[in-house]
Amino acid sequence: MYRLLIFALALGPVFDLSAQTEEELQAVKIHIQQLFDGMRAADSTAVRNAFLPGAGMYTAVTGQDGQPVLRQGDLSSFVTQVGKAAPGALNEQLHGYDIEVDGLLATAWTPYSFYYEGKLSHCGTNAFQLFKTADGWKISHVADTRQREGCPEEQLPREQQIDSLLNA
């Protein structure tokens, strides 16, 4: 009986029904991509729909006094600013995804470069917390870091390069 218990415990993680699947990881990734597609399109409705009502937004920075500061953003203001932007002006390019899912919760770590009107503004990392609702994944919290130095030297997608040249 003791050996059977040890064997069952050893195989437990293999048969864990709550473990993340590739399908769940892709669903989280697609949801995050839809947020940034909405930003690029200046579609405030799509951006608002990516978040739970009252979702938290934070930015981790170093203050002018050299001390770490966690600034709280406002979702409504963010959505309004997206809607006022010209389509294509807000272009956040993700450099990868590190996603973990456990049942109704997911986290995603996404390094990024942010371009405003075709020019590199800053880079950093997003840390998303998502909750799986009856309608699918929604962002409950996002925190990011922002740097202006040491950003990846990455080319914009070809269509963005052409738009930048035409609008210069």
Coordinates of all heavy atoms in Angstrom, one line a residue, residues 87-167:
P87 N -4.6 56.4 -35.5 CA -4.3 55.0 -35.7 C -2.8 54.8 -36.2 O -2.3 55.5 -37.0 CB -5.2 54.6 -36.9 CG -6.4 55.6 -36.7 CD -5.7 56.8 -36.3
G88 N -2.1 53.8 -35.5 CA -0.7 53.5 -35.8 C 0.2 54.3 -34.9 O 1.4 54.0 -34.9
A89 N -0.2 55.3 -34.2 CA 0.7 56.2 -33.4 C 1.2 55.4 -32.2 O 2.4 55.6 -31.8 CB 0.0 57.5 -33.0
L90 N 0.4 54.6 -31.6 CA 0.8 53.8 -30.4 C 1.2 52.4 -30.8 O 0.3 51.6 -31.2 CB -0.3 53.8 -29.4 CG -0.9 55.2 -29.0 CD1 -2.1 55.0 -28.1 CD2 0.2 56.0 -28.4
N91 N 2.4 52.0 -30.8 CA 2.8 50.7 -31.3 C 3.8 50.0 -30.3 O 5.0 50.3 -30.2 CB 3.5 50.9 -32.6 CG 3.9 49.5 -33.2 OD1 3.5 48.5 -32.8 ND2 4.8 49.6 -34.2
E92 N 3.2 49.2 -29.5 CA 4.0 48.4 -28.5 C 4.3 47.1 -29.1 O 3.4 46.3 -29.4 CB 3.2 48.3 -27.2 CG 4.1 47.7 -26.1 CD 3.6 48.1 -24.7 OE1 3.1 49.2 -24.5 OE2 3.8 47.3 -23.8
Q93 N 5.6 46.8 -29.3 CA 6.1 45.6 -29.8 C 6.6 44.7 -28.7 O 7.5 45.1 -28.0 CB 7.2 45.8 -30.8 CG 6.7 46.6 -32.1 CD 5.8 45.8 -32.9 OE1 6.1 44.6 -33.2 NE2 4.7 46.4 -33.3
L94 N 6.0 43.5 -28.6 CA 6.4 42.5 -27.6 C 7.5 41.7 -28.1 O 7.5 41.2 -29.2 CB 5.2 41.7 -27.1 CG 4.0 42.5 -26.6 CD1 2.9 41.5 -26.1 CD2 4.4 43.4 -25.5
H95 N 8.5 41.4 -27.2 CA 9.7 40.6 -27.6 C 9.6 39.2 -27.1 O 10.6 38.5 -27.1 CB 11.0 41.3 -27.1 CG 11.1 42.7 -27.5 ND1 11.1 43.0 -28.9 CD2 11.2 43.8 -26.8 CE1 11.3 44.3 -29.0 NE2 11.3 44.8 -27.8
G96 N 8.5 38.8 -26.6 CA 8.3 37.4 -26.1 C 7.3 37.3 -25.0 O 6.8 38.4 -24.5
Y97 N 7.0 36.1 -24.6 CA 6.0 35.9 -23.6 C 6.5 34.8 -22.6 O 7.0 33.8 -23.1 CB 4.7 35.3 -24.2 CG 3.9 36.3 -25.1 CD1 4.3 36.4 -26.4 CD2 2.9 37.0 -24.6 CE1 3.6 37.3 -27.3 CE2 2.1 37.8 -25.4 CZ 2.5 38.0 -26.7 OH 1.8 38.8 -27.6
D98 N 6.3 35.0 -21.3 CA 6.5 34.0 -20.3 C 5.1 33.9 -19.6 O 4.8 34.8 -18.8 CB 7.6 34.4 -19.4 CG 7.9 33.3 -18.4 OD1 7.3 32.2 -18.5 OD2 8.7 33.5 -17.5
I99 N 4.3 32.9 -19.9 CA 3.0 32.8 -19.4 C 2.8 31.6 -18.5 O 3.3 30.5 -18.8 CB 2.0 32.7 -20.6 CG1 2.1 33.9 -21.5 CG2 0.5 32.5 -20.0 CD1 1.3 33.8 -22.8
E100 N 2.2 31.8 -17.4 CA 1.8 30.7 -16.4 C 0.3 30.8 -16.2 O -0.2 31.9 -16.0 CB 2.6 30.9 -15.1 CG 4.1 30.8 -15.2 CD 4.6 29.4 -15.5 OE1 3.9 28.4 -15.1 OE2 5.6 29.3 -16.1
V101 N -0.3 29.6 -16.3 CA -1.8 29.5 -16.0 C -2.0 28.5 -14.9 O -1.5 27.4 -14.9 CB -2.5 29.1 -17.3 CG1 -4.0 28.9 -17.1 CG2 -2.3 30.1 -18.4
D102 N -3.0 28.9 -14.0 CA -3.4 27.9 -13.0 C -4.9 28.2 -12.8 O -5.3 29.1 -12.2 CB -2.7 28.1 -11.7 CG -3.1 27.1 -10.7 OD1 -3.8 26.1 -11.0 OD2 -2.8 27.2 -9.5
G103 N -5.7 27.3 -13.5 CA -7.2 27.5 -13.4 C -7.7 28.8 -13.9 O -7.5 29.1 -15.1
L104 N -8.2 29.6 -13.1 CA -8.8 30.9 -13.5 C -7.8 32.1 -13.5 O -8.2 33.2 -13.8 CB -10.0 31.2 -12.5 CG -11.1 30.2 -12.5 CD1 -12.2 30.6 -11.5 CD2 -11.8 30.1 -13.9
L105 N -6.6 31.8 -13.1 CA -5.6 32.9 -13.0 C -4.5 32.6 -14.0 O -4.1 31.5 -14.2 CB -5.0 33.0 -11.6 CG -6.0 33.4 -10.5 CD1 -5.3 33.4 -9.2 CD2 -6.6 34.8 -10.8
A106 N -3.9 33.7 -14.5 CA -2.7 33.6 -15.4 C -1.9 34.8 -15.1 O -2.3 35.9 -14.7 CB -3.2 33.6 -16.9
T107 N -0.6 34.6 -15.3 CA 0.4 35.7 -15.3 C 1.1 35.7 -16.6 O 1.3 34.6 -17.2 CB 1.4 35.6 -14.2 OG1 2.2 34.5 -14.3 CG2 0.7 35.6 -12.8
A108 N 1.5 36.9 -17.1 CA 2.3 37.0 -18.3 C 3.4 38.0 -18.1 O 3.1 39.1 -17.7 CB 1.4 37.3 -19.5
W109 N 4.6 37.7 -18.5 CA 5.7 38.6 -18.4 C 6.1 38.9 -19.9 O 6.4 37.9 -20.6 CB 6.8 37.9 -17.7 CG 8.0 38.6 -17.4 CD1 9.2 38.7 -18.1 CD2 8.3 39.4 -16.2 NE1 10.1 39.5 -17.5 CE2 9.6 39.9 -16.3 CE3 7.6 39.8 -15.1 CZ2 10.2 40.7 -15.4 CZ3 8.1 40.6 -14.1 CH2 9.4 41.0 -14.3
T110 N 6.1 40.1 -20.3 CA 6.3 40.4 -21.7 C 7.3 41.6 -21.9 O 6.9 42.8 -21.7 CB 5.0 40.8 -22.5 OG1 4.4 41.9 -21.9 CG2 4.0 39.6 -22.4
P111 N 8.5 41.4 -22.2 CA 9.4 42.5 -22.5 C 8.9 43.2 -23.8 O 8.3 42.5 -24.7 CB 10.8 41.8 -22.8 CG 10.6 40.4 -22.3 CD 9.2 40.1 -22.3
Y112 N 9.1 44.5 -23.9 CA 8.5 45.3 -25.0 C 9.4 46.5 -25.4 O 10.3 46.9 -24.6 CB 7.1 45.8 -24.6 CG 7.2 46.9 -23.6 CD1 7.2 48.2 -24.0 CD2 7.1 46.6 -22.2 CE1 7.3 49.3 -23.1 CE2 7.2 47.7 -21.3 CZ 7.2 49.0 -21.8 OH 7.3 50.0 -20.8
S113 N 9.1 47.0 -26.6 CA 9.6 48.3 -27.0 C 8.4 49.1 -27.4 O 7.5 48.5 -28.1 CB 10.6 48.2 -28.2 OG 11.8 47.5 -27.8
F114 N 8.3 50.3 -27.0 CA 7.1 51.2 -27.3 C 7.6 52.3 -28.3 O 8.5 53.0 -28.0 CB 6.5 51.8 -26.1 CG 5.3 52.6 -26.4 CD1 4.1 52.0 -26.6 CD2 5.4 54.0 -26.5 CE1 3.0 52.8 -26.9 CE2 4.3 54.8 -26.7 CZ 3.1 54.2 -26.9
Y115 N 6.8 52.3 -29.4 CA 7.1 53.3 -30.5 C 5.9 54.3 -30.5 O 4.8 53.9 -30.5 CB 7.2 52.7 -31.8 CG 8.4 51.7 -31.9 CD1 8.3 50.4 -31.5 CD2 9.6 52.2 -32.4 CE1 9.4 49.6 -31.6 CE2 10.7 51.3 -32.5 CZ 10.6 50.0 -32.1 OH 11.7 49.2 -32.1
Y116 N 6.2 55.6 -30.5 CA 5.2 56.6 -30.7 C 5.4 57.3 -32.0 O 6.5 57.8 -32.2 CB 5.2 57.6 -29.5 CG 4.2 58.7 -29.6 CD1 2.8 58.4 -29.5 CD2 4.5 60.0 -30.0 CE1 1.9 59.3 -29.6 CE2 3.6 61.0 -30.1 CZ 2.2 60.6 -30.0 OH 1.3 61.6 -30.1
E117 N 4.5 57.2 -32.8 CA 4.5 57.8 -34.2 C 5.8 57.3 -34.9 O 6.5 58.1 -35.5 CB 4.5 59.3 -34.1 CG 3.1 59.8 -33.6 CD 3.0 61.3 -33.6 OE1 4.0 62.0 -33.7 OE2 1.8 61.7 -33.5
G118 N 6.1 56.0 -34.8 CA 7.2 55.4 -35.5 C 8.6 55.6 -34.9 O 9.5 55.0 -35.4
K119 N 8.7 56.3 -33.8 CA 10.0 56.5 -33.1 C 10.0 55.8 -31.8 O 9.0 55.9 -31.0 CB 10.2 58.0 -32.9 CG 10.4 58.7 -34.2 CD 10.7 60.2 -34.0 CE 10.7 60.9 -35.4 NZ 10.7 62.3 -35.3
L120 N 11.1 55.2 -31.5 CA 11.3 54.5 -30.2 C 11.1 55.5 -29.1 O 11.8 56.5 -29.0 CB 12.6 53.8 -30.1 CG 12.9 53.0 -28.8 CD1 11.9 51.8 -28.7 CD2 14.3 52.5 -28.8
S121 N 10.2 55.2 -28.2 CA 10.0 56.1 -27.0 C 10.7 55.5 -25.8 O 11.4 56.2 -25.1 CB 8.5 56.2 -26.7 OG 8.2 56.8 -25.5
H122 N 10.4 54.2 -25.5 CA 11.0 53.5 -24.3 C 10.8 52.0 -24.5 O 10.2 51.6 -25.4 CB 10.4 54.0 -23.0 CG 8.9 53.8 -23.0 ND1 8.0 54.7 -23.5 CD2 8.2 52.8 -22.4 CE1 6.7 54.2 -23.3 NE2 6.8 53.0 -22.7
C123 N 11.4 51.3 -23.5 CA 11.3 49.9 -23.5 C 11.1 49.4 -22.1 O 11.3 50.2 -21.1 CB 12.4 49.2 -24.2 SG 14.0 49.5 -23.4
G124 N 10.8 48.2 -21.8 CA 10.7 47.7 -20.5 C 10.1 46.3 -20.5 O 10.2 45.5 -21.5
T125 N 9.3 46.0 -19.4 CA 8.6 44.7 -19.3 C 7.3 45.0 -18.7 O 7.1 45.8 -17.8 CB 9.4 43.8 -18.4 OG1 10.7 43.5 -18.9 CG2 8.7 42.4 -18.2
N126 N 6.3 44.3 -19.3 CA 4.9 44.3 -18.7 C 4.8 43.0 -17.8 O 5.2 42.0 -18.2 CB 3.8 44.2 -19.8 CG 3.9 45.4 -20.8 OD1 3.8 46.5 -20.3 ND2 3.9 45.1 -22.0
A127 N 4.1 43.2 -16.7 CA 3.7 42.1 -15.9 C 2.2 42.1 -15.7 O 1.6 42.9 -15.0 CB 4.4 42.2 -14.5
F128 N 1.6 41.1 -16.4 CA 0.1 41.1 -16.5 C -0.4 40.0 -15.5 O 0.2 39.0 -15.3 CB -0.4 40.6 -17.8 CG -0.2 41.6 -18.9 CD1 0.9 41.5 -19.8 CD2 -1.2 42.6 -19.1 CE1 1.0 42.4 -20.8 CE2 -1.0 43.5 -20.2 CZ 0.1 43.4 -21.0
Q129 N -1.5 40.3 -14.8 CA -2.3 39.4 -14.1 C -3.7 39.3 -14.8 O -4.3 40.3 -15.1 CB -2.6 39.8 -12.6 CG -1.3 39.9 -11.8 CD -0.7 38.6 -11.5 OE1 -1.4 37.6 -11.2 NE2 0.6 38.4 -11.7
L130 N -4.1 38.1 -15.1 CA -5.4 37.9 -15.8 C -6.3 37.0 -15.1 O -5.8 36.1 -14.4 CB -5.1 37.4 -17.3 CG -4.3 38.3 -18.2 CD1 -2.8 37.8 -18.2 CD2 -4.8 38.2 -19.6
F131 N -7.6 37.2 -15.3 CA -8.6 36.4 -14.7 C -9.5 35.8 -15.8 O -9.9 36.6 -16.7 CB -9.4 37.2 -13.7 CG -10.6 36.4 -13.1 CD1 -10.4 35.5 -12.1 CD2 -11.9 36.7 -13.5 CE1 -11.4 34.8 -11.6 CE2 -13.0 36.1 -12.9 CZ -12.7 35.1 -12.0
K132 N -9.8 34.5 -15.7 CA -10.6 33.9 -16.8 C -12.1 34.1 -16.4 O -12.6 33.4 -15.5 CB -10.3 32.4 -16.9 CG -10.9 31.8 -18.1 CD -10.4 30.4 -18.3 CE -10.9 29.8 -19.6 NZ -10.4 28.5 -19.8
T133 N -12.8 34.9 -17.1 CA -14.2 35.1 -16.9 C -15.1 34.2 -17.8 O -14.5 33.5 -18.6 CB -14.6 36.6 -17.2 OG1 -14.5 36.8 -18.7 CG2 -13.7 37.6 -16.5
A134 N -16.4 34.3 -17.7 CA -17.2 33.5 -18.6 C -17.0 34.0 -20.0 O -17.3 33.2 -21.0 CB -18.7 33.7 -18.2
D135 N -16.6 35.2 -20.3 CA -16.3 35.7 -21.6 C -14.9 35.5 -22.1 O -14.5 36.1 -23.1 CB -16.7 37.2 -21.7 CG -18.2 37.4 -21.4 OD1 -19.0 36.6 -21.9 OD2 -18.5 38.5 -20.8
G136 N -14.1 34.9 -21.3 CA -12.7 34.7 -21.6 C -11.7 35.5 -20.7 O -12.2 36.0 -19.7
W137 N -10.5 35.5 -21.0 CA -9.5 36.2 -20.2 C -9.6 37.7 -20.2 O -9.9 38.3 -21.2 CB -8.1 35.8 -20.7 CG -7.7 34.4 -20.5 CD1 -7.8 33.4 -21.4 CD2 -7.4 33.8 -19.2 NE1 -7.4 32.2 -20.8 CE2 -7.2 32.4 -19.5 CE3 -7.2 34.3 -17.9 CZ2 -6.8 31.5 -18.5 CZ3 -6.8 33.4 -16.9 CH2 -6.6 32.0 -17.2
K138 N -9.4 38.3 -19.0 CA -9.5 39.7 -18.9 C -8.3 40.1 -18.0 O -8.0 39.4 -17.0 CB -10.8 40.2 -18.2 CG -12.0 39.9 -19.0 CD -12.2 40.8 -20.2 CE -13.5 40.5 -20.9 NZ -13.7 41.3 -22.0
I139 N -7.7 41.3 -18.2 CA -6.6 41.8 -17.5 C -7.1 42.4 -16.2 O -8.0 43.3 -16.2 CB -5.8 42.8 -18.2 CG1 -5.2 42.2 -19.5 CG2 -4.7 43.4 -17.4 CD1 -4.7 43.2 -20.5
S140 N -6.7 41.9 -15.0 CA -7.1 42.5 -13.7 C -6.0 43.5 -13.2 O -6.4 44.4 -12.6 CB -7.3 41.3 -12.7 OG -6.1 40.7 -12.5
H141 N -4.8 43.3 -13.6 CA -3.7 44.2 -13.2 C -2.6 44.1 -14.2 O -2.3 43.1 -14.8 CB -3.1 43.8 -11.8 CG -4.0 43.9 -10.7 ND1 -4.9 42.9 -10.3 CD2 -4.2 44.9 -9.8 CE1 -5.6 43.3 -9.3 NE2 -5.2 44.5 -8.9
V142 N -2.0 45.3 -14.4 CA -0.8 45.3 -15.2 C 0.2 46.3 -14.6 O -0.2 47.4 -14.2 CB -1.0 45.6 -16.7 CG1 -1.7 47.0 -16.9 CG2 0.2 45.5 -17.6
A143 N 1.4 45.9 -14.5 CA 2.5 46.8 -14.0 C 3.6 46.7 -15.1 O 3.8 45.7 -15.8 CB 3.0 46.3 -12.7
D144 N 4.3 47.8 -15.3 CA 5.4 47.8 -16.3 C 6.6 48.6 -15.7 O 6.4 49.4 -14.8 CB 4.9 48.4 -17.6 CG 4.5 49.9 -17.5 OD1 5.4 50.7 -17.3 OD2 3.4 50.2 -17.8
T145 N 7.7 48.3 -16.4 CA 8.9 49.1 -16.2 C 9.1 49.9 -17.4 O 8.6 49.6 -18.5 CB 10.1 48.2 -15.9 OG1 10.3 47.4 -17.0 CG2 9.9 47.4 -14.6
R146 N 9.9 51.0 -17.3 CA 10.1 51.9 -18.5 C 11.6 52.4 -18.4 O 12.0 52.9 -17.4 CB 9.2 53.1 -18.6 CG 7.7 52.6 -18.7 CD 6.8 53.8 -18.8 NE 5.4 53.3 -18.7 CZ 4.4 54.0 -18.7 NH1 4.5 55.4 -18.7 NH2 3.2 53.5 -18.6
Q147 N 12.3 52.2 -19.5 CA 13.7 52.7 -19.7 C 13.8 53.4 -21.0 O 13.1 52.9 -22.0 CB 14.7 51.6 -19.6 CG 14.8 50.8 -18.3 CD 13.9 49.7 -18.2 OE1 13.1 49.7 -17.3 NE2 13.9 48.7 -19.2
R148 N 14.6 54.3 -21.1 CA 14.9 55.0 -22.4 C 16.3 54.5 -23.0 O 16.6 54.8 -24.1 CB 14.8 56.5 -22.3 CG 13.4 57.0 -22.0 CD 13.4 58.5 -22.2 NE 12.1 59.0 -21.8 CZ 11.0 59.1 -22.6 NH1 11.1 58.7 -23.8 NH2 9.9 59.6 -22.2
E149 N 17.1 53.9 -22.1 CA 18.4 53.4 -22.6 C 18.4 51.9 -22.5 O 17.7 51.3 -21.7 CB 19.5 54.0 -21.7 CG 19.5 55.5 -21.8 CD 20.5 56.1 -20.8 OE1 21.2 55.4 -20.1 OE2 20.6 57.4 -20.8
G150 N 19.3 51.3 -23.3 CA 19.4 49.9 -23.3 C 18.3 49.1 -24.0 O 18.1 47.9 -23.7
C151 N 17.5 49.8 -24.8 CA 16.4 49.1 -25.5 C 16.9 48.2 -26.6 O 17.9 48.6 -27.2 CB 15.4 50.2 -26.0 SG 14.6 51.1 -24.7
P152 N 16.2 47.1 -26.9 CA 16.6 46.3 -28.0 C 16.6 47.0 -29.3 O 15.7 47.8 -29.5 CB 15.5 45.2 -28.0 CG 14.9 45.2 -26.7 CD 15.0 46.6 -26.2
E153 N 17.6 46.8 -30.1 CA 17.7 47.4 -31.4 C 16.9 46.5 -32.4 O 17.4 45.7 -33.0 CB 19.1 47.6 -31.9 CG 20.0 48.5 -31.1 CD 19.5 49.9 -31.1 OE1 19.0 50.4 -32.2 OE2 19.7 50.6 -30.1
E154 N 15.6 46.8 -32.4 CA 14.7 45.9 -33.2 C 14.0 46.8 -34.3 O 13.5 47.8 -34.0 CB 13.7 45.2 -32.3 CG 13.1 44.1 -33.0 CD 12.4 43.1 -32.1 OE1 13.2 42.5 -31.3 OE2 11.2 43.0 -32.1
Q155 N 13.9 46.2 -35.5 CA 13.3 46.9 -36.6 C 11.7 46.9 -36.4 O 11.2 45.9 -35.9 CB 13.6 46.3 -37.9 CG 15.0 46.5 -38.3 CD 15.2 47.9 -38.8 OE1 14.3 48.5 -39.4 NE2 16.4 48.4 -38.6
L156 N 11.1 47.9 -36.8 CA 9.6 47.9 -36.8 C 9.2 47.0 -37.9 O 9.9 46.7 -38.9 CB 9.1 49.3 -37.1 CG 9.2 50.4 -36.1 CD1 8.9 51.7 -36.7 CD2 8.3 50.1 -34.9
P157 N 8.0 46.4 -37.8 CA 7.5 45.6 -38.9 C 7.5 46.5 -40.2 O 7.3 47.7 -40.1 CB 6.0 45.3 -38.5 CG 6.1 45.4 -37.0 CD 7.1 46.5 -36.7
R158 N 7.6 45.8 -41.3 CA 7.8 46.5 -42.6 C 6.7 47.5 -42.8 O 7.0 48.6 -43.3 CB 7.8 45.5 -43.7 CG 8.1 46.1 -45.1 CD 8.9 45.1 -45.9 NE 9.2 45.7 -47.2 CZ 10.2 46.5 -47.5 NH1 10.9 47.0 -46.5 NH2 10.4 47.0 -48.7
E159 N 5.4 47.2 -42.6 CA 4.3 48.2 -42.8 C 4.5 49.4 -41.9 O 4.2 50.5 -42.3 CB 3.0 47.5 -42.6 CG 2.7 47.1 -41.2 CD 1.4 46.3 -41.0 OE1 1.0 45.6 -42.0 OE2 0.7 46.5 -40.0
Q160 N 5.0 49.2 -40.7 CA 5.2 50.3 -39.8 C 6.4 51.2 -40.3 O 6.3 52.4 -40.2 CB 5.6 49.9 -38.4 CG 4.5 49.1 -37.7 CD 3.4 50.0 -37.2 OE1 3.7 51.2 -36.9 NE2 2.2 49.6 -37.1
Q161 N 7.4 50.6 -40.9 CA 8.5 51.4 -41.5 C 8.0 52.2 -42.6 O 8.4 53.4 -42.8 CB 9.6 50.4 -42.0 CG 10.4 49.7 -40.9 CD 11.4 48.7 -41.5 OE1 11.8 48.8 -42.6 NE2 11.8 47.8 -40.7
I162 N 7.2 51.6 -43.5 CA 6.7 52.4 -44.6 C 5.8 53.5 -44.2 O 5.9 54.6 -44.7 CB 5.9 51.4 -45.6 CG1 6.8 50.4 -46.2 CG2 5.1 52.2 -46.6 CD1 6.2 49.3 -46.9
D163 N 4.9 53.3 -43.2 CA 4.0 54.3 -42.6 C 4.9 55.4 -42.1 O 4.6 56.6 -42.2 CB 3.1 53.8 -41.5 CG 2.0 52.9 -42.1 OD1 1.7 53.0 -43.3 OD2 1.3 52.2 -41.3
S164 N 6.0 55.1 -41.3 CA 6.8 56.1 -40.7 C 7.5 57.0 -41.8 O 7.5 58.2 -41.7 CB 7.9 55.5 -39.9 OG 7.4 54.8 -38.8
L165 N 7.9 56.4 -42.9 CA 8.5 57.1 -44.0 C 7.5 58.0 -44.7 O 7.8 59.2 -45.0 CB 9.2 56.2 -45.0 CG 10.4 55.4 -44.5 CD1 10.8 54.4 -45.5 CD2 11.5 56.4 -44.3
L166 N 6.3 57.5 -44.9 CA 5.3 58.3 -45.6 C 4.8 59.4 -44.8 O 4.4 60.5 -45.3 CB 4.1 57.4 -46.0 CG 4.4 56.3 -47.1 CD1 3.2 55.4 -47.3 CD2 4.8 57.0 -48.4
N167 N 4.8 59.3 -43.5 CA 4.2 60.3 -42.6 C 5.3 61.2 -42.0 O 5.0 62.1 -41.2 CB 3.5 59.7 -41.4 CG 2.2 59.0 -41.9 OD1 1.6 59.4 -42.8 ND2 1.9 57.8 -41.3

